[in-house]
Amino acid sequence: MTNAEPPLAQPQRATGVDKTALAHVKRFVDLWRVDPEFREQIESDPVRAVKKYDLEVDPDQLRPVWDRNYKDVHSPLMREFMKREQRRINDRRSIRERSEPSNSTMAIWRRRQIARCASELGPEREVEIVHAPVAFELSEGCSVGCWFCGLGGKRPVRHADYGQLQGLWREILQVLREVIGDGVKWGFCYWATDPLDNPNYLEFAADFKNYLGRFPQTTTAIPLRDPARTRDLLERSRARFTYVRFSVLSRGEMRRLMAEFSPEELIDVLLLPLNEGSGLPKSFSGNARTHTVPRGHVLLPPENASTIACVSGFLINLVTRTVRLITPCNADERWPLGYWTLAQATFSSAEDLSTILQQMIREQMAVELDLERIVKFRRDLRLQANDDGTHSLTSRWITHRYNPLTELPLLGEMIDRGESTATDIAFELERRSIPQALTLFALQVMFREGLLREEPDDVNSISDRPDRTIANTVFA
């Protein structure tokens, strides 16, 4: 694991192009993504449009952005901007690698969830998920109340008080580092909450940096509520390995952002176009599953439900003193928030939390397939018989042509029926002259690749168990 500084951390080092010019290019692109009215103006009179919005750019140099028939990226400025966009994508992939837990059991479990999500969610969606090992909620509830919040954020709001919790917070950070390892610094301090709701967010985040070595990534929908505080956030976030995102909820808000913050101030801020008319589809998860879609917004159809969850690890709320073990999944009636909860507990101290985390890792994060459990394929997978007599597994996005299913058709059929343990399957295939070792190896490989069902039937709760013993998850 390298500690090399990612290119986007210091933009002035990443390019020989003038930073101010690059900032105006970014603002042009942000406007194009957010505002359909701006898109119309650019297409009809580009020179007038950039003047109207005080953009110091030559629209002809940015023609690849707004003219879909124009393919020649001849402008050095445009090329540099595209390089930055690609760096951001590469950085996200790098974060996933850097955030792997040092705890070997958790690392193996996390890799399996990554493999599962690639099949279940589709490669394009899954590549965006960092599978952070931890997220903290510094509030309970969210003041923003977005109708499309994929994690189900709701009012009212209660906040963790930094003055009262400073000591516990620092102890918790130390515990997480001891249990998970250095990868914990790639966690963040919000979930179904807006981080800036908590009046002490910057103090909590400063401790995060001091104890873990990195100021946490921040995504907020209320950067204009207190511009001075937002500037303080941006200043603190100029350090290495730090990223800030603003959720843009309306075109009016975009214009207010442009009036309040210069292009240079927002050069490294990713603006998420969640407003009407942006065209960005919302995930059919969380609040969006129960709300009417407002005019101008696009919602993924139920059959293509996805998730905005990005943690395969622990979700810790400082207000309720709760901890949950979670991992992303496609949102549905059973998991409307787009993630599994495998176990949950309450804690009273950092020492208590440490015990709970280690038990969750030991009891919930299987390293190998339990040979005495019923074996099933994931419920989103379908076993298909091919014309040549072989079998394949198909999700909504991927067809898995797995060799043992080709060579051992009965193996797939027995797993698909979901009535036998791994041991039962091995004995049955041995009766047909297939060595047990081959069958068990094939099952373990399929388990490691996330093809076998691990989805819990019941969420294990240990909050009321004095012995803190976590029952094994029941697999269906």
Side-chain angles (χ1 to χ4, degrees):
M1 185 177 292
T2 177
N3 289 321
E5 185 174 344
L8 283 183
Q10 297 290 344
Q12 66 272 23
R13 297 180 189 173
T15 175
V17 176
D18 179 74
K19 184 178 177 180
T20 297
L22 206 53
H24 279 262
V25 172
K26 180 181 178 297
R27 174 153 292 187
F28 178 98
V29 175
D30 285 337
L31 262 172
W32 173 261
R33 289 170 174 165
V34 168
D35 196 338
E37 184 177 307
F38 178 71
R39 293 197 288 269
E40 292 176 1
Q41 293 170 349
I42 282 292
E43 290 174 352
S44 61
D45 192 340
V47 174
R48 182 179 179 183
V50 297
K51 287 183 179 179
K52 178 181 178 180
Y53 290 93
D54 297 321
L55 297 171
E56 299 175 8
V57 297
D58 178 355
D60 190 58
Q61 292 190 31
L62 306 184
R63 188 173 289 274
V65 175
W66 56 271
D67 186 348
R68 65 184 61 185
N69 296 317
Y70 190 82
K71 305 298 182 185
D72 182 18
V73 187
H74 66 279
S75 162
L77 202 56
M78 192 68 229
R79 284 200 300 268
E80 189 57 45
F81 177 79
M82 293 176 70
K83 287 179 183 178
R84 286 172 61 89
E85 292 283 282
Q86 186 59 49
R87 290 190 193 108
R88 189 182 296 276
I89 295 172
N90 293 342
D91 284 350
R92 194 167 189 83
R93 294 170 180 166
S94 176
I95 288 173
R96 176 191 287 185
E97 297 172 2
R98 295 168 185 267
S99 58
E100 178 162 288
S102 301
N103 182 294
S104 59
T105 299
M106 187 173 180
I108 291 171
W109 173 82
R110 178 177 177 268
R111 287 177 212 146
R112 192 164 66 249
Q113 306 318 310
I114 291 173
R116 171 184 60 79
C117 286
S119 172
E120 181 182 345
L121 304 176
E124 290 187 9
R125 176 69 189 98
E126 200 280 330
V127 76
E128 300 173 355
I129 300 175
V130 297
H131 293 273
V134 66
F136 300 97
E137 290 183 306
L138 306 179
S139 302
E140 183 185 23
C142 179
S143 70
V144 184
C146 296
W147 69 267
F148 54 82
C149 178
L151 300 175
K154 292 179 173 60
R155 304 183 183 95
V157 186
R158 292 191 299 150
H159 304 302
D161 187 306
Y162 180 76
Q164 296 179 0
L165 297 176
Q166 178 181 3
L168 176 63
W169 171 238
R170 293 177 175 180
E171 291 174 357
I172 286 174
L173 294 176
Q174 185 62 35
V175 162
L176 265 294
R177 183 156 199 164
E178 291 170 357
V179 173
I180 296 177
D182 192 53
V184 72
K185 71 181 180 183
W186 299 102
F188 44 88
C189 300
Y190 57 92
W191 189 248
T193 57
D194 192 293
L196 294 188
D197 265 344
N198 190 304
N200 302 129
Y201 174 72
L202 293 180
E203 288 80 3
F204 280 108
D207 280 347
F208 188 102
K209 177 184 178 182
N210 291 336
Y211 278 76
L212 302 180
R214 171 181 175 266
F215 197 89
Q217 171 184 296
T218 303
T219 300
T220 179
I222 52 174
L224 292 167
R225 191 170 292 182
D226 185 343
R229 185 173 178 228
T230 300
R231 285 191 168 88
D232 191 1
L233 167 66
L234 294 177
E235 186 59 35
R236 295 173 187 241
S237 298
R238 296 191 188 284
R240 61 194 300 179
F241 307 124
T242 305
Y243 307 93
V244 176
R245 304 188 298 181
F246 292 169
S247 297
V248 181
L249 304 182
S250 70
R251 286 181 288 172
E253 185 177 82
M254 180 64 184
R255 292 187 174 92
R256 291 192 294 275
L257 279 171
M258 291 174 55
E260 180 64 42
F261 298 100
S262 69
E264 289 84 357
E265 287 179 296
L266 299 186
I267 188 171
D268 290 316
V269 177
L270 179 62
L271 301 187
L272 303 176
L274 302 176
N275 59 291
E276 76 291 352
S278 70
L280 185 69
K282 312 300 189 297
S283 171
F284 188 64
S285 59
N287 293 347
R289 295 180 68 87
T290 57
H291 283 68
T292 301
V293 181
R295 180 179 296 178
H297 289 269
V298 180
L299 186 64
L300 287 173
E303 62 271 16
N304 288 335
S306 186
T307 181
I308 67 167
C310 54
V311 168
S312 283
F314 302 107
L315 175 58
I316 299 172
N317 188 295
L318 262 63
V319 178
T320 60
R321 306 284 180 89
T322 56
V323 54
R324 288 181 279 167
L325 175 60
I326 66 173
T327 185
C329 68
N330 264 323
D332 60 14
E333 290 299 319
R334 185 154 185 242
W335 307 106
L337 302 182
Y339 58 87
W340 296 344
T341 298
L342 291 94
Q344 59 188 13
T346 58
F347 62 92
S348 58
S349 65
E351 182 180 6
D352 191 26
L353 177 63
S354 177
T355 300
I356 292 168
L357 297 181
Q358 292 180 66
Q359 286 183 309
M360 286 183 176
I361 291 172
R362 183 172 61 250
E363 303 292 342
Q364 303 299 318
M365 299 182 181
V367 174
E368 295 182 343
L369 179 67
D370 186 337
L371 302 185
E372 300 308 314
R373 288 191 181 277
I374 298 295
V375 179
K376 267 188 177 182
F377 290 123
R378 294 194 329 254
R379 63 185 170 105
D380 65 300
L381 292 175
R382 297 292 177 265
L383 183 68
Q384 295 181 330
N386 303 318
D387 293 339
D388 60 0
T390 63
H391 286 77
S392 58
L393 278 175
T394 303
S395 72
R396 184 186 306 162
W397 313 102
I398 295 175
T399 296
H400 301 272
R401 297 189 181 279
Y402 187 58
N403 284 340
L405 298 180
T406 299
E407 299 168 5
L408 309 174
L410 182 59
L411 173 63
E413 293 169 5
M414 291 189 71
I415 297 173
D416 198 43
R417 286 198 293 268
E419 300 172 351
S420 306
T421 67
T423 300
D424 293 335
I425 295 173
F427 277 125
E428 179 59 30
L429 266 65
E430 185 178 43
R431 289 178 58 247
R432 304 181 185 226
S433 301
I434 305 298
Q436 284 192 31
L438 176 59
T439 301
L440 294 176
F441 175 77
L443 288 169
Q444 292 289 5
V445 171
M446 283 189 280
F447 177 69
R448 186 173 65 240
E449 294 182 355
L451 301 178
L452 302 182
R453 186 168 181 181
E454 292 186 84
E455 177 184 349
D457 270 354
D458 300 298
V459 178
N460 292 302
S461 178
I462 63 170
S463 58
D464 299 321
R465 297 175 64 110
D467 60 354
R468 292 299 189 195
T469 300
I470 305 177
N472 288 330
T473 300
V474 178
F475 297 115

